[in-house]
Amino acid sequence: MSRLQYFWHRLLRMDWKAMWKTTGILKRKSGKSRLFLMKDMLHCAVKYNAGYMDYKIAEMYRLNEDQRNTVITRGISNDIVRRMNNKEYWHYFDDKAEFNETFREWIPRKWIKIGENTDPEALYAICRNRKEMIGKPLEGSSGQGIRKYLPKDWENGGAAFLKRLMEDGIGILEEVVIQHPRMASLCPTSVNTCRIATLLGDKQQGIVYAFLRIGNGKVMDNVDCGGMAARIDLDSGKLLTVGADKQGNTFLKHPMTNASIIGFEIPFWNEAKAMCMKASEKFPEMRFVAWDVAITPDGPTFIEGNSFPSHAIPQFAAHYPDGIGILPEFRKFIDC
């Protein structure tokens, strides 16, 4: 799809109400007029395949044309995924139970698929001696539909609990991951995961970017659930930037724990990188995968893999104060 075709495709499906609201937010933040912002958004849409959320998250109003050419927008990201990833293999990542089974050598936690064929006794056995369990829909992203369950939820036996889980839309029930104490020191309410993106490019293969997602009081660390993210230095495993959330707020220290974010060093970082690269070899047809990795006291483990990685987190303006975005990193691996 050409840039112009993509522009018209997006224009016909535009949420104009949300776009108008976004220009209001940016007007207050930038001091620029709504008319300027609307015209500039349309310019960026045509020239850079940028949606209004791309424009907001990367603060494209503050960038010159050379800087804008370094932003990975939705249109560019979509094109990379479609070129790199064979859709016939997406199901290994999109179905959480299938992912756990496929990558089980790096997933030691107990889990069970939930459905009409689930054995209630097997379900009760996996829960019986545990203080909590995490339930998720089989498919989905952004932390939607994820719930925490406690012993009171299965005290009436497996059959009653199975019925509850199916009513809640749960497709997989998992043992809770216990994170490394250092990771919990940032935010103890959520498992704070590393988003590590592997890219098997034509020019080179390796890790194209990595971010730490940090919770902010909820069970999930996802930025769509109020969490924040900070860039990880690929060599050292140290956080390079402030924490930033999707609303544009920035944090030198975590508001709950007062833990410093810049300079925080992730335990077992080399092991986490090696795990992701080894896993990327399983399906060479899936050349661009974003892996969500938890760090436990015993080392890294997968939470899930993403066949269609979000481009939002890698473009937070606070992570690129010089206005140079992440697209040059992709260009080291592929032409884009």
Side-chain angles (χ1 to χ4, degrees):
M1 185 182 295
S2 70
R3 286 188 175 182
L4 191 58
Q5 287 174 318
Y6 181 79
F7 168 73
W8 286 112
H9 175 78
R10 294 296 305 156
L11 191 66
L12 291 172
R13 291 162 175 77
M14 183 72 71
D15 185 340
W16 292 99
K17 186 176 179 180
M19 182 178 179
W20 183 253
K21 182 179 179 181
T22 299
T23 58
I25 295 170
L26 296 182
K27 178 178 182 293
R28 293 189 294 273
K29 189 169 186 176
S30 69
K32 300 182 183 296
S33 71
R34 246 185 172 136
L35 178 61
F36 169 86
L37 291 166
M38 291 286 286
K39 288 173 62 178
D40 200 40
M41 279 183 186
L42 291 173
H43 166 72
C44 289
V46 174
K47 189 168 184 179
Y48 303 106
N49 282 355
Y52 64 86
M53 287 304 295
D54 297 329
Y55 189 89
K56 174 189 174 184
I57 288 171
E59 295 181 0
M60 294 182 77
Y61 55 82
R62 70 183 176 94
L63 306 180
N64 60 39
E65 296 301 301
D66 288 339
Q67 291 169 322
R68 289 172 171 183
N69 198 43
T70 68
V71 174
I72 183 168
T73 62
R74 178 171 179 169
I76 294 172
S77 176
N78 289 357
D79 181 63
I80 291 172
V81 172
R82 292 190 176 102
R83 285 166 49 203
M84 296 291 104
N85 293 347
N86 186 329
K87 200 167 186 176
E88 292 182 8
Y89 292 83
W90 287 15
H91 63 92
Y92 289 106
F93 300 85
D94 297 344
D95 183 304
K96 291 179 174 60
E98 196 164 1
F99 178 86
N100 280 11
E101 180 60 32
T102 302
F103 298 96
R104 60 184 179 276
E105 63 187 282
W106 299 291
I107 302 175
R109 64 185 176 275
K110 304 294 184 182
W111 61 276
I112 187 169
K113 186 174 180 178
I114 303 301
E116 293 181 354
N117 297 323
T118 301
D119 180 357
E121 292 305 314
L123 172 62
Y124 185 67
I126 202 172
C127 299
R128 185 170 45 208
N129 296 319
R130 305 192 188 280
K131 294 181 179 179
E132 54 187 4
M133 297 288 285
I134 293 291
K136 307 175 183 178
L138 270 186
E139 298 185 2
S141 60
S142 302
Q144 297 300 312
I146 294 179
R147 296 172 180 245
K148 180 181 285 187
Y149 294 94
L150 304 173
K152 63 183 179 62
D153 295 308
W154 56 78
E155 64 184 2
N156 293 323
F161 187 37
L162 176 60
K163 182 175 182 293
R164 162 79 182 280
L165 292 172
M166 294 181 67
E167 289 173 350
D168 288 346
I170 299 302
I172 182 172
L173 190 73
E174 298 184 317
E175 178 184 9
V176 172
V177 173
I178 304 300
Q179 65 183 331
H180 193 286
R182 281 279 294 148
M183 303 300 290
S185 71
L186 282 173
C187 178
T189 64
S190 61
V191 176
N192 306 301
T193 57
C194 304
R195 170 66 62 91
I196 302 174
T198 53
L199 183 55
L200 308 181
D202 302 315
K203 299 176 182 179
Q204 65 171 314
Q205 300 182 354
I207 295 170
V208 66
Y209 66 77
F211 284 77
L212 179 64
R213 304 188 305 179
I214 310 166
N216 197 7
K218 296 184 179 180
V219 175
M220 298 298 299
D221 64 349
N222 199 289
V223 295
D224 290 311
C225 297
M228 65 188 77
R231 286 178 63 190
I232 303 172
D233 178 72
L234 296 183
D235 292 327
S236 68
K238 293 181 179 179
L239 300 187
L240 292 169
T241 66
V242 296
D245 64 22
K246 210 168 184 179
Q247 288 68 48
N249 301 309
T250 58
F251 307 88
L252 279 167
K253 294 189 174 183
H254 196 283
M256 289 178 57
T257 61
N258 206 39
S260 295
I261 294 174
I262 297 176
F264 177 89
E265 188 170 356
I266 296 168
F268 294 110
W269 177 242
N270 288 332
E271 291 83 350
K273 290 191 296 181
M275 180 180 74
C276 291
M277 288 308 303
K278 184 67 176 177
S280 73
E281 298 173 1
K282 273 189 172 285
F283 296 108
E285 299 84 359
M286 296 292 294
R287 298 169 64 189
F288 177 38
V289 177
W291 309 89
D292 290 341
V293 177
I295 308 298
T296 77
D298 299 317
T301 183
F302 285 129
I303 298 298
E304 62 183 36
N306 299 274
S307 64
F308 206 111
S310 167
H311 65 290
I313 294 178
Q315 284 302 154
F316 284 172
H319 296 149
Y320 302 92
D322 61 358
I324 303 301
I326 202 170
L327 196 52
E329 297 305 311
F330 278 81
R331 290 175 176 147
K332 294 175 184 177
F333 290 77
I334 58 175
D335 290 322
C336 55

